[in-house]
Every structure is written in structure tokens, then in C-alpha cells.
Amino acid sequence: MNAILLRAKIPLTEADVVVSAGRGMKDPGNWGMIEELADLIGATTACSRPVADIGWRPHHEHVGQTGIAIRPSLYIAIGISGAIQHLAGVNNSKRIIVINKDPEAPFFKAADYGICGDLFEIVPRLNEAIKEFKASN
Ligand SMILES: Cc1cc2nc3c(=O)[nH]c(=O)nc-3n(C[C@H](O)[C@H](O)[C@H](O)COP(=O)(O)OP(=O)(O)OC[C@H]3O[C@@H](n4cnc5c(N)ncnc54)[C@H](O)[C@@H]3O)c2cc1C
């Protein structure tokens, strides 16, 4: 019989590292790269409210004014604009990294580190770089 390995995720409210994504992902089928990044760095996944509202992600992942308020050491926001209602739930994070293709995205003002560019290029490259780093360390 094959053993099934289930790795329990740390609940969002207790997570030290959170990888979150929004409508910039375009399609729920694109979340594999987000899950992969989260797995690589031991993070819990989150999302913006519209993404949960349209059923791309479960509602228990929705952070913000009307969702869960979190205060991780690191919050990585991918394809999320940074609306005030979203920031209300995440702006107590110790460090915020934003990946967004729009240099005017409000989230950059709240970010400690920002990467301006296409998430569909950046996130796969980031995942490969982390895998290479792990393999050589
Ligand atoms: C009363 C009220 C309560 C609310 N509560 C919440 C809440 O709790 N949580 C919450 O999140 N929202 C909440 N909202 C909604 C909030 O106002 C925003 O509409 C929402 O946060 C936007 O979600 P988003 O950033 O995923 O989508 P969008 O605003 O559509 O932003 C998508 C972002 O992705 C970027 N992007 C697109 N394609 C790419 C790409 N290829 N590469 C990189 N970046 C890309 C775009 O530049 C854009 O910045 C609330 C609104 C109201 C009125």
C-alpha cells in the first residue's frame, strides 16, 4: 500500500511566513507556482478577498479588513494591488515583499522590498533559484 504523506500547514494566524496572491494570478489553475513557493519556504498561503469571492481560493485564506488579520515575520504579496482594505489585515507584518507589474500599485508604498515585473516570469524563476540554493547548501 502506498503511504500518503500529508504535511499539515500552519494556520494563517500562527504562520511566520505567508505567501499571498490576488487577482493578478488571472486563473485559479495558475496557483501551482504559489503553492510551490510556499512549500519551498515553509509558508502558509493566503489571498485577497476577490479571489476568495469568485471561488478561486477558499475563504479561510482571505486576509484583510473583512478577512483574517495576520502579523507574520514575512508577508509576500503577489499580484495584489494593496487596497486599504487588504492592507488593514496585513500591515502589522514585520517585513513585506511585493511582486506587481504596475509600478503605481499602492502596495509598493507599504513594502519593505518590491519587485516590479510580471509574476508569471518572476515567481517560477524565484522558485528555481530557491531550489538551486537548497540543493547546494
Ligand atoms: C467594505 C470592503 C471590504 C473589503 N475587504 C477586503 C479584505 O478584507 N481583503 C481584501 O483583499 N480586499 C477587500 N476588499 C476589496 C479591496 O478593496 C480590493 O478590491 C481587493 O483587495 C483587490 O484585490 P486584488 O488586489 O487581488 O485585485 P486587483 O485590485 O484586481 O489587483 C490585481 C493586481 O495584480 C497586478 N497584476 C496583474 N497581472 C500581473 C502580473 N502578470 N504580474 C504582476 N502583477 C500583476 C495588478 O497590477 C494589480 O495591482 C474590500 C472592499 C470593500 C469595499
Side-chain angles (χ1 to χ4, degrees), residues 53-121:
D53 284 347
I54 53 182
W56 290 3
R57 298 298 291 178
H59 260 292
H60 63 76
E61 285 197 354
H62 149 207
V63 291
Q65 179 187 318
T66 49
I68 299 171
I70 56 172
R71 41 194 320 141
S73 296
L74 179 62
Y75 183 73
I76 305 177
I78 300 169
I80 301 176
S81 57
I84 189 83
Q85 297 90 352
H86 185 87
L87 293 177
V90 304
N91 60 10
N92 283 322
S93 306
K94 278 204 193 99
R95 293 274 183 276
I96 295 177
I97 298 176
V98 168
I99 301 174
N100 197 302
K101 70 176 182 183
D102 175 8
E104 302 298 323
F107 225 145
F108 282 124
K109 291 198 176 74
D112 295 285
Y113 304 97
I115 304 169
C116 189
D118 186 345
L119 70 89
F120 295 103
E121 289 174 19

Side-chain angles (χ1 to χ4, degrees), residues 12-69:
L12 254 184
T13 48
E14 293 165 31
D16 198 42
V17 183
V18 173
V19 173
S20 189
R23 211 150 43 181
M25 293 300 296
K26 311 273 192 285
D27 186 276
N30 293 330
W31 244 266
M33 67 177 95
I34 301 297
E35 299 278 2
E36 183 179 35
L37 174 57
D39 280 345
L40 284 167
I41 61 174
T44 297
T45 50
C47 68
S48 66
R49 173 174 159 172
V51 157
D53 284 347
I54 53 182
W56 290 3
R57 298 298 291 178
H59 260 292
H60 63 76
E61 285 197 354
H62 149 207
V63 291
Q65 179 187 318
T66 49
I68 299 171

